[in-house]
């Protein structure tokens, strides 16, 4: 299956690369950080804020949108882009991770996963087929397949094997359902190498916990199915950095080069750099906005907490190198005051800064790969940040 992904530059010293992923809402420059719009919004931010900080693609959650407002409701309202007034791309996760982490009484059968809503306890069934239908109703640009994610820090290999086998069987069914739902993908390559994309794309999810042999097997299986790209799921759940790096490498070494790879739920700058080095192109995480609401600010020199008394008379911006709305307009003293007074504006202003910090970091990563200095950029970044 043709993937509307163009690799622009490859780093000669690592597996890092820059590229363009085309969707029905334009293109996404990779490596990319995708802010998380769980409930059709990135907490405390408007879609205008997100455009202003350079967000290209948002991640939204099928599980949450299915339960509220309901994917049928979203379809009636013209889809998620129109609903939340977002003109860029949207990727939806399959809901698998939320079913395993949020809902009660989940039961996995061959057919799918039966679970109770975390809102009202009502019963629901997700199958590989109906999740594709829900994503179609949402109207997102990139759809992902239902998977079995073991939500454990240190899973037994037997459990990881079982989850992987189920994920593989469901992936075959999801790919078939995608073909039924989107028989014409309308992907054409123009003379200048760009793509025109008329429909939603499909990404498969690679599981296998922290076992490199299972990861390799999962990657090879997914590579044999018709998809436009790949998600790496079931990591960043408390494993060591070494386990994560090994698992990622076992995946990227066994995938076709010309399709994008997305690490689900990873968003600290150092982890992103490690994964970019190993050939990952896309990232998302709630972490930068979650910590922003607790007063945590990311800068080139590491993290700081704006609530600290030392900022009460500090007239500098959060980060002298940052071009975001918050840094261009407000002092640390003002933001410290807003936080200490419990003012909600502080959540918005710090979220704007933290997301801009990550989108700017990705811009710098792309520039470093393009001018052949990724390795030295990474070392210098980590030296200052830690
Ligand atoms: Zn800023």
């Amino acid at each position: 299956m043709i993937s509307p992904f163009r690799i622009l530059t490859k780093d000669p010293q690592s597996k890092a690369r820059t590229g363009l992923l085309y969707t029905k809402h334009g293109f996404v420059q990779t490596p990319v950080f995708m802010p998380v719009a769980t409930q059709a919004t990135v907490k405390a931010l408007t879609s205008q804020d997100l455009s202003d900080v350079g967000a290209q693609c948002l991640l939204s959650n099928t599980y949450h949108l299915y339960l509220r407002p309901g994917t049928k409701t979203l379809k009636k309202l013209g889809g998620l882009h129109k609903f939340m007034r977002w003109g860029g791309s949207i990727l939806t996760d399959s809901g698998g991770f939320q079913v395993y982490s949020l809902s009660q009484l989940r039961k996995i059968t061959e057919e799918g996963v039966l679970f109770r809503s975390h809102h009202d306890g009502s019963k629901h069934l997700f199958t590989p087929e109906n999740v594709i239908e829900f994503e179609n109703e949402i109207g997102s640009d990139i759809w992902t397949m239902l998977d079995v994610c073991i939500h454990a820090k240190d899973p037994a290999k037997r459990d990881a094997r079982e989850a992987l086998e189920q994920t593989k069987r469901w992936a075959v069914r999801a790919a078939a359902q995608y073909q039924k739902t989107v028989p014409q993908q309308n992907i054409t390559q123009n003379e200048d190498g760009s793509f025109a994309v008329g429909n939603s794309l499909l990404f498969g999810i690679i599981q296998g916990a922290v076992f490199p042999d299972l990861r390799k097997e999962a990657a090879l299986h997914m590579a044999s199915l018709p998809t436009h790209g790949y998600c790496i799921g079931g990591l960043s759940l408390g494993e060591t950095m070494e386990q994560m790096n090994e698992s990622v490498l076992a995946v990227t070494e066994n995938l076709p080069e010309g399709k994008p790879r997305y690490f689900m739920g990873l968003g600290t700058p150092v982890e992103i750099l490690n994964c970019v080095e190993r050939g990952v192109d896309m990232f998302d995480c709630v972490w930068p906005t979650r910590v922003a609401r607790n007063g945590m600010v990311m800068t080139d020199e590491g993290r700081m907490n704006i609530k600290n008394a030392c900022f009460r008379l500090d007239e500098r911006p959060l980060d002298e190198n940052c071009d975001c709305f918050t840094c261009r307009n407000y002092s640390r003293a003002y933001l410290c005051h807003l936080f200490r007074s419990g003012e909600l504006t502080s959540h918005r202003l710090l979220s704007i800064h933290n997301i801009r910090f990550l989108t700017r970091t990705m811009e710098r990563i792309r520039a470093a790969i393009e001018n052949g200095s990724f390795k030295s950029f990474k070392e210098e970044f980590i030296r200052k940040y830690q």
Side-chain angles (χ1 to χ4, degrees):
M1 185 187 260
I2 185 172
S3 178
F5 181 61
R6 269 174 83 193
I7 294 174
L8 299 177
T9 316
K10 286 195 261 182
D11 177 41
Q13 292 175 299
S14 74
K15 297 175 90 66
R17 69 257 188 98
T18 61
L20 295 172
L21 172 64
Y22 294 83
T23 75
K24 59 181 180 175
H25 283 89
F27 63 80
V28 176
Q29 295 168 281
T30 65
V32 64
F33 174 77
M34 304 180 285
V36 183
T38 304
Q39 313 271 11
T41 178
V42 175
K43 284 196 197 309
L45 301 183
T46 65
S47 47
Q48 183 65 49
D49 292 334
L50 293 164
S51 314
D52 292 347
V53 295
Q56 308 177 71
C57 185
L58 305 180
L59 174 116
S60 200
N61 300 103
T62 302
Y63 170 89
H64 289 287
L65 296 177
Y66 163 81
L67 290 176
R68 194 171 59 194
T71 51
K72 298 256 179 308
T73 302
L74 272 180
K75 190 182 177 190
K76 275 192 200 134
L77 294 168
L80 182 57
H81 288 86
K82 188 178 169 211
F83 188 52
M84 65 180 289
R85 301 276 165 195
W86 172 248
S89 299
I90 300 176
L91 182 151
T92 36
D93 68 9
S94 63
F97 181 80
Q98 281 75 27
V99 168
Y100 307 118
S101 60
L102 283 180
S103 70
Q104 297 117 31
L105 294 170
R106 59 195 173 269
K107 186 165 182 271
I108 297 168
T109 64
E110 194 56 43
E111 190 189 6
V113 55
L114 193 68
F115 63 95
R116 283 190 188 274
S117 157
H118 72 286
H119 296 305
D120 59 7
S122 55
K123 264 193 192 170
H124 303 270
L125 176 71
F126 273 3
T127 67
E129 290 82 8
N130 72 12
V131 162
I132 294 289
E133 290 309 311
F134 300 148
E135 293 182 281
N136 190 26
E137 286 166 348
I138 292 167
S140 48
D141 299 274
I142 302 169
W143 301 349
T144 56
M145 300 174 174
L146 185 65
D147 60 332
V148 179
C149 174
I150 311 180
H151 204 265
K153 188 180 166 185
D154 199 10
K157 191 163 187 181
R158 194 187 52 217
D159 296 338
R161 154 70 61 196
E162 207 173 295
L164 171 58
E165 292 301 333
Q166 189 66 68
T167 299
K168 280 160 69 177
R169 292 194 295 274
W170 284 356
V172 173
R173 285 167 51 190
Q177 185 63 34
Y178 174 80
Q179 295 289 349
K180 261 193 231 168
T181 312
V182 188
Q184 300 292 330
Q185 289 150 36
N186 298 328
I187 297 175
T188 49
Q189 190 162 20
N190 303 313
E191 270 178 23
D192 62 359
S194 66
F195 288 89
V197 177
N199 255 314
S200 302
L201 307 173
L202 180 69
F203 279 28
I205 302 185
I206 292 164
Q207 289 291 350
V210 291
F211 305 103
D213 57 331
L214 296 188
R215 287 278 167 190
K216 177 181 175 183
E217 183 186 322
L220 290 173
H221 178 260
M222 201 52 78
S224 73
L225 296 179
T227 68
H228 303 102
Y230 307 99
C231 313
I232 304 173
L235 287 174
S236 195
L237 296 174
E239 71 279 0
T240 65
M241 183 81 96
E242 196 183 1
Q243 285 176 315
M244 183 197 287
N245 289 343
E246 269 182 32
S247 302
V248 167
L249 206 55
V251 171
T252 55
E253 278 181 341
N254 290 289
L255 286 177
E257 199 177 44
K259 295 185 183 182
R261 299 99 176 236
Y262 154 42
F263 191 129
M264 308 179 95
L266 183 83
T268 68
V270 175
E271 290 171 327
I272 287 177
L273 281 162
N274 281 331
C275 290
V276 165
E277 188 175 24
R278 288 166 179 79
V280 181
D281 308 296
M282 303 164 75
F283 302 90
D284 80 283
C285 198
V286 292
W287 186 77
T289 41
R290 183 176 289 159
V291 296
R293 298 193 299 277
N294 289 318
M296 189 69 80
V297 177
M298 300 154 85
T299 74
D300 281 353
E301 272 79 43
R303 300 184 221 164
M304 61 185 192
N305 198 313
I306 199 64
K307 288 182 284 193
N308 286 343
C310 63
F311 299 121
R312 280 158 81 170
L313 287 168
D314 194 334
E315 292 187 89
R316 291 174 295 170
L318 291 175
D319 184 342
E320 316 241 68
N321 299 318
C322 183
D323 57 2
C324 83
F325 174 76
T326 306
C327 290
R328 278 186 286 115
N329 289 284
Y330 301 104
S331 65
R332 293 176 180 185
Y334 179 63
L335 296 163
C336 176
H337 159 72
L338 289 186
F339 252 96
R340 289 176 156 237
S341 311
E343 286 296 332
L344 292 179
T345 316
S346 60
H347 292 187
R348 173 165 177 252
L349 294 176
L350 258 61
S351 296
I352 286 174
H353 170 78
N354 277 357
I355 296 217
R356 181 60 192 143
F357 178 80
L358 277 173
T359 55
R360 208 163 53 82
T361 300
M362 302 317 284
E363 287 167 10
R364 288 186 287 170
I365 289 174
R366 295 197 294 268
I369 296 170
E370 268 154 30
N371 65 33
S373 62
F374 175 71
K375 208 175 165 66
S376 58
F377 171 80
K378 182 190 168 207
E379 280 164 14
E380 176 69 6
F381 185 96
I382 291 175
R383 190 186 61 75
K384 278 168 75 181
Y385 189 78
Q386 285 182 329

